Amino acid sequence: GENVEQHPSTLSVQEGDSAVIKCTYSDSASNYFPWYKQELGKRPQLIIDIRSNVGEKKDQRIAVTLNKTAKHFSLHITETQPEDSAVYFCAANSNSGGSNYKLTFGKGTLLTVNP
Amino acid sequence: GAGVSQSPRYKVAKRGQDVALRCDPISGHVSLFWYQQALGQGPEFLTYFQNEAQLDKSGLPSDRFFAERPEGSVSTLKIQRTQQEDSAVYLCASSSKGVVVGTGELFFGEGSRLTVL
């Protein structure tokens, strides 16, 4: 099955700096890679996703890059703000037998943005 | 409501008790998932429903875990004879996409935090 590794487990940055979180996956058939943000005690919420037919996607201060050959993808947050502080999870889908619904999540990155 | 609703939000059970966790997905969403999130970890897949059909239960840890969605909307996750290792947050998620159409955004509920003493 799919295995997703996420690094770093904790990340502390100053307000205004950039933050980068990296993930690797094992299943070369995976074709969908979402990123979820989870504030303490809250539900995970999708912030951006990318499909395997593109290499990069941007949404305001957030971007995701995908390298299918190396099987890794990264989340980039620019101009970080204190409200960006949360746990971020990457995920990859399993794409076997025509069924691609199952997401495997990384262990999460606790991002702290210091004012 | 507009989002996925789960109840109870918090449940404390004595070891050996049975528990039932409820999920109300977004109206009209075809797909429903249950995930287990241990402290400090990412969500782990338990089971998947497309409408009322349970298409995948490969993530259920043991036969003490049972899930159902009899009318294709509300779902219940039941855990029998709870053990301490069952302590976790149980997240429900729904999606408008079905298994054939492709992966769509998952909308998560707030979760049910289960503590087994």
Side-chain angles (χ1 to χ4, degrees):
Chain A
E2 176 70 278
N3 182 47
V4 176
E5 300 281 343
Q6 182 171 348
H7 299 280
S9 56
T10 61
L11 179 59
S12 181
V13 300
Q14 289 299 122
E15 183 176 359
D17 287 351
S18 295
V20 180
I21 302 170
K22 300 182 179 182
C23 289
T24 61
Y25 62 98
S26 61
D27 185 354
S28 57
S30 295
N31 61 2
Y32 177 67
F33 308 91
W35 287 87
Y36 282 82
K37 175 183 180 182
Q38 187 175 30
E39 297 177 10
L40 188 62
K42 301 292 186 181
R43 70 189 75 199
Q45 291 189 298
L46 180 73
I47 55 171
I48 196 167
D49 57 13
I50 190 168
R51 297 186 186 273
S52 58
N53 57 345
V54 298
E56 182 174 359
K57 183 177 179 180
K58 291 186 72 173
D59 183 3
Q60 300 183 339
R61 297 185 297 107
I62 295 172
V64 57
T65 58
L66 171 66
N67 183 327
K68 287 192 297 181
T69 303
K71 289 191 282 189
H72 68 68
F73 56 113
S74 300
L75 177 71
H76 304 252
I77 306 174
T78 59
E79 300 170 28
T80 53
Q81 302 167 3
E83 51 265 38
D84 294 331
S85 297
V87 178
Y88 290 81
F89 293 99
C90 63
N93 71 329
S94 299
N95 195 13
S96 61
S99 302
N100 56 6
Y101 52 83
K102 185 187 299 186
L103 290 180
T104 299
F105 286 82
K107 292 192 174 184
T109 296
L110 174 61
L111 173 64
T112 304
V113 180
N114 302 299
Chain B
V4 177
S5 178
Q6 291 187 245
S7 61
R9 289 291 317 279
Y10 303 93
K11 176 68 179 178
V12 178
K14 292 184 179 179
R15 188 159 53 94
Q17 281 185 329
D18 297 348
V19 300
L21 308 176
R22 176 188 169 105
C23 173
D24 278 273
I26 293 172
S27 178
H29 274 196
V30 170
S31 293
L32 186 144
F33 302 80
W34 284 98
Y35 280 83
Q36 180 189 59
Q37 187 174 25
L39 190 64
Q41 302 293 315
E44 290 195 1
F45 173 84
L46 293 178
T47 187
Y48 166 65
F49 289 87
Q50 184 177 29
N51 297 309
E52 70 280 2
Q54 188 175 23
L55 298 187
D56 189 337
K57 53 181 180 180
S58 62
L60 296 177
S62 75
D63 58 8
R64 296 186 295 104
F65 287 70
F66 171 78
E68 60 182 4
R69 193 186 185 198
E71 297 179 357
S73 55
V74 170
S75 177
T76 304
L77 176 66
K78 298 179 179 178
I79 308 172
Q80 296 177 321
R81 304 181 303 281
T82 52
Q83 304 293 316
Q84 284 190 322
E85 61 262 29
D86 299 336
S87 296
V89 175
Y90 290 86
L91 292 166
C92 175
S94 69
S95 171
S96 60
K97 302 285 188 182
V99 63
V100 175
V101 177
T103 308
E105 178 178 355
L106 294 189
F107 293 86
F108 282 90
E110 297 274 7
S112 292
R113 180 179 296 278
L114 172 65
T115 302
V116 181
L117 303 177

